[in-house]
Amino acid sequence: DTEVTQTPKHLVMGMTNKKSLKCEQHMGHRAMYWYKQKAKKPPELMFVYSYEKLSINESVPSRFSPECPNSSLLNLHLHALQPEDSALYLCASSQALSGANVLTFGAGSRLTVL
Amino acid sequence: GQNIDQPTEMTATEGAIVQINCTYQTSGFNGLFWYQQHAGEAPTFLSYNVLDGLEEKGRFSSFLSRSKGYSYLLLKELQMKDSASYLCAVPNQGGKLIFGQGTELSVKP
């Protein structure tokens, strides 16, 4: 299995809702990532987990809360989002957190905040 | 800090060759990646260069010059399906991958 699976593919939520994005990989990768991507822009790193511990938080607002329940799963909990948070949220994984490792991306979850 | 520059847009004709350039400035070099991203899809890995020179992989080749802080992606025998965004990316010393703005390539018949 060489894929990163993300659910849901599309999500529409109001500013008072609580929802979660989910990501799963079975490649034995020990680093997992959340990226945010706006139209016509490159992916922006949000969080990195290495061996199930949060290693990097790119000063992301607390309305985004990541969770890594085990080495195969990564969640992003969403609460009280703003319309400007509407974007494509990409999950990725790599063998380890170091520069030479190739990132494998999921297809993304397209989020719309009303 | 790190800085990556690549052209915003390029247009080329089906069957032709196109070269997408990327210049970078980084403290501590750990290799350079090229990713391809079709509209609405995930980025997919194309190449990784850590030593100077040209690496060929089918219709796609990637070149690196560390002394010049320069890389290019060469696409030969262009096909319509090559229309996509091409992202140059360099990891920093903490392992974080820094992406350039991406080059939107349009292949015309």
Side-chain angles (χ1 to χ4, degrees):
Chain A
D1 189 350
T2 57
E3 284 189 345
V4 174
T5 305
Q6 289 188 243
T7 54
K9 290 196 181 333
H10 299 275
L11 179 63
V12 179
M13 59 188 290
M15 290 191 284
T16 57
N17 292 157
K18 279 188 185 180
K19 297 284 185 184
S20 297
L21 305 181
K22 297 186 182 301
C23 175
E24 191 168 3
Q25 57 88 14
H26 295 287
M27 294 178 280
H29 288 177
R30 302 315 300 263
M32 294 187 77
Y33 309 72
W34 280 115
Y35 281 85
K36 173 182 176 179
Q37 188 175 29
K38 294 278 219 179
K40 306 276 188 198
K41 296 289 185 186
E44 292 175 32
L45 184 65
M46 299 175 73
F47 302 104
V48 184
Y49 275 81
S50 177
Y51 288 86
E52 299 150 59
K53 288 189 171 20
L54 184 64
S55 292
I56 299 176
N57 176 343
E58 290 289 292
S59 302
V60 179
S62 59
R63 58 186 184 268
F64 296 92
S65 174
E67 179 197 19
C68 189
N70 60 52
S71 61
S72 300
L73 293 174
L74 184 67
N75 299 323
L76 186 64
H77 302 300
L78 315 171
H79 174 54
L81 294 194
Q82 305 294 312
E84 60 264 28
D85 296 322
S86 298
L88 181 68
Y89 287 84
L90 294 162
C91 175
S93 69
S94 65
Q95 283 195 328
L97 178 59
S98 82
N101 284 276
V102 175
L103 265 62
T104 301
F105 285 87
S109 293
R110 186 161 296 283
L111 173 68
T112 303
V113 182
L114 301 175
Chain B
Q2 278 160 289
N3 190 41
I4 301 174
D5 270 314
Q6 50 181 132
T8 309
E9 294 177 332
M10 297 184 74
T11 302
T13 306
E14 196 175 13
I17 298 174
V18 72
Q19 178 174 311
I20 302 175
N21 295 324
C22 171
T23 57
Y24 64 89
Q25 293 168 319
T26 181
S27 48
F29 183 72
N30 219 350
L32 184 143
F33 291 86
W34 284 97
Y35 283 82
Q36 178 193 58
Q37 187 175 24
H38 286 98
E41 296 183 14
T44 55
F45 168 74
L46 288 179
S47 67
Y48 173 66
N49 293 67
V50 67
L51 298 175
D52 289 352
L54 186 68
E55 301 238 351
E56 298 189 61
K57 209 186 276 188
R59 293 189 300 114
F60 291 12
S61 303
S62 55
F63 172 83
L64 176 69
S65 168
R66 288 172 296 172
S67 61
K68 294 182 180 170
Y70 168 66
S71 173
Y72 67 72
L73 183 68
L74 192 72
L75 290 74
K76 301 178 192 172
E77 300 167 21
L78 277 174
Q79 301 175 9
M80 299 298 290
K81 67 177 182 180
D82 297 329
S83 293
S85 181
Y86 291 86
L87 297 156
C88 175
V90 176
N92 70 7
Q93 294 188 313
K96 174 182 167 182
L97 195 61
I98 310 294
F99 285 94
Q101 289 298 304
T103 299
E104 193 71 37
L105 174 67
S106 297
V107 180
K108 309 281 188 200

